[in-house]
Amino acid sequence: MSIEVALREEQTEATGARQNFPAIRVASVGKHFTRAGTRALTVLDDVSFSVALGSITAILGPSGCGKSTLLNIIAGLVAADRGSVLIDGQPLQTFVDWGRVGYLFQDDRLLPWRTAIENIALGLEAERIPRTERRDRARQALLSVGLAGFERMYPGELSGGMRSRVALARSLVKEPRILLLDEPFSKLDPALRSQMHLELLGIQAARKMSVVFVTHDIEEAVTLADRVVILQPNPGRVRTEIEIGLARPRLHGNPAMTAQMQALRQLI
Ligand SMILES: Nc1ncnc2c1ncn2[C@@H]1O[C@H](COP(=O)(O)OP(=O)(O)O)[C@@H](O)[C@H]1O
Ligand SMILES: [Mg+2]
């Protein structure tokens, strides 16, 4: 090991920062599923990409190309057959600090018998955090998504937009440094989706989170992402990666954005 490398590692340990590593590194990941009576289905084949610290990456591809499976593998919810995933330079197998990783599922998965604030606090219950602190942090998270005053409402009493904010707040309550989102706003109408995009971008910039979201929506990818990883189906492979260099906010109808979307459409 060179002196420079040794010094850098020492500094890294001293500051607790891991600036030398991407937030996420997916390397040659493969996954197949077997169903009784059918041939094995290869869902992901040799998928590799990196997510730079503090950046937003979109995984874009048609329905069924393995996006959710890939996100579940990154989140440690599904095991890959091949390859590896590193979070902050640590292999998934030994990674333990899941408080650092937030996950927003495609369906909001709110518990109907719990109020908004109780749903959000759920994320903190596994940890030994006192009840009052859990409540305070859940309230803060609810505030950060613009839902002050809705603490005691049940999911059944909330609109679709409010529910997705509660789900977003729940994924943020542990103040994750990495946020994974699976088509989070796909069920919202376009106006509400745009509003949620702006809120997510505001929160991401304020907290400098590294974000990975999967989508089949080209406009969503171009609106939010610094980098787009395009997946092609059968089996899911990375077709190409595109850097989106457009200034923010990226508004619907902006000519540069329209051109970028056109370019992506050619690639899918
Ligand atoms: N647990 C599973 N068992 C069997 N097949 C699965 C399972 N999960 C996903 N698949 C299949 O893998 C493929 C990719 O699914 P998915 O990752 O959900 O794609 P996407 O999110 O891009 O729509 C689909 O054909 C789906 O039916
Ligand atoms: Mg999916």
Side-chain angles (χ1 to χ4, degrees):
M1 188 189 295
S2 74
I3 287 176
E4 285 90 329
V5 170
L7 260 179
R8 204 177 329 127
E9 289 200 346
E10 204 166 287
Q11 282 165 353
T12 301
E13 269 170 37
T15 58
R18 290 173 171 273
Q19 314 259 339
N20 306 331
F21 298 105
I24 299 170
R25 169 95 190 111
V26 175
S28 306
V29 160
K31 177 73 186 170
H32 75 278
F33 288 114
T34 34
R35 268 180 260 181
T38 60
R39 268 189 331 120
L41 174 73
T42 302
V43 176
L44 297 171
D45 181 40
D46 199 22
V47 171
S48 301
F49 62 92
S50 289
V51 176
L53 265 183
S55 73
I56 305 179
T57 297
I59 298 168
L60 176 67
S63 180
C65 74
K67 303 182 298 295
S68 296
T69 304
L70 180 56
L71 209 62
N72 284 333
I73 289 172
I74 295 170
L77 301 173
V78 167
D81 304 328
R82 295 159 180 277
S84 60
V85 176
L86 304 180
I87 297 184
D88 284 343
Q90 297 173 55
L92 213 53
Q93 291 86 343
T94 55
F95 185 76
V96 288
D97 198 1
W98 288 105
R100 270 200 260 167
V101 183
Y103 198 131
L104 184 51
F105 293 95
Q106 185 163 6
D107 45 344
D108 59 43
R109 299 197 185 185
L110 298 179
L111 300 178
W113 58 89
R114 284 185 165 230
T115 62
I117 197 109
E118 288 166 352
N119 265 288
I120 296 167
L122 194 65
L124 300 170
E125 279 172 19
E127 284 155 52
R128 292 206 190 88
I129 298 172
R131 190 183 149 84
T132 49
E133 188 188 330
R134 286 203 305 258
R135 290 241 149 199
D136 285 347
R137 286 176 61 178
R139 194 165 288 117
Q140 279 303 322
L142 204 59
L143 269 178
S144 76
V145 297
L147 274 187
F150 292 90
E151 287 87 344
R152 289 161 192 272
M153 304 276 268
Y154 288 88
E157 302 173 297
L158 300 171
S159 68
M162 288 171 164
R163 290 174 63 112
S164 60
R165 280 162 203 253
V166 173
L168 179 61
R170 189 180 52 190
S171 71
L172 292 171
V173 73
K174 290 186 188 170
E175 303 196 356
R177 302 217 312 265
I178 293 174
L179 185 62
L180 309 174
L181 309 102
D182 191 352
E183 312 221 22
F185 312 125
S186 58
K187 290 201 202 89
L188 303 181
D189 63 66
L192 202 50
R193 193 180 313 142
S194 299
Q195 199 180 331
M196 292 301 292
H197 287 163
L198 285 175
E199 280 185 29
L200 176 65
L201 286 171
I203 293 168
Q204 186 268 341
R207 300 189 183 185
K208 300 184 174 64
M209 286 185 298
S210 310
V211 172
V212 181
F213 71 100
V214 310
T215 185
H216 62 267
D217 181 344
I218 293 176
E219 179 155 17
E220 184 161 70
V222 173
T223 303
L224 295 179
D226 297 304
R227 196 172 181 80
V228 181
V229 176
I230 299 176
L231 281 193
Q232 62 184 44
N234 301 319
R237 286 193 181 128
V238 175
R239 170 161 290 179
T240 186
E241 295 185 36
I242 305 276
E243 207 63 50
I244 311 285
L246 303 173
R248 293 191 174 91
R250 301 170 181 165
L251 302 173
H252 177 81
N254 170 306
M257 219 178 111
T258 308
Q260 185 67 262
M261 285 166 60
Q262 212 89 55
L264 279 181
R265 205 163 282 128
Q266 305 294 319
L267 292 167
I268 289 184

